[in-house]
Amino acid sequence: MDLQSLIADIHALEQQLLEFERKYGVRSETMYAAYVAGEEPEDDAWVLDFGEWASVYKLWLRRQ
């Protein structure tokens, strides 16, 4: 992956993270810490989103 592609990927991931943060009113680093600690979302309907959100956040960390 060249530098330009890497930067574009980081920006795309940041947009996804912002969408989740706006939807749930929680910062990504806070959600990820809770997710890694095994905490369940307060609503069962959020489980799939939180799994995806955690994946996006982990990938964003690796790209950084």
Side-chain angles (χ1 to χ4, degrees), residues 32-43:
Y32 190 72
Y35 183 85
V36 170
E39 294 180 31
E40 296 287 328
E42 60 188 65
D43 187 325

Side-chain angles (χ1 to χ4, degrees), residues 48-63:
L48 290 177
D49 270 1
F50 275 42
E52 180 182 352
W53 189 359
S55 295
V56 171
Y57 185 73
K58 189 174 180 180
L59 182 57
W60 177 80
L61 287 174
R62 278 188 264 164
R63 295 287 192 256

Side-chain angles (χ1 to χ4, degrees), residues 18-26 46 49:
L18 283 173
E19 289 173 17
F20 283 121
E21 290 177 2
R22 287 182 182 126
K23 181 175 182 178
Y24 293 104
V26 177
W46 299 355
D49 270 1

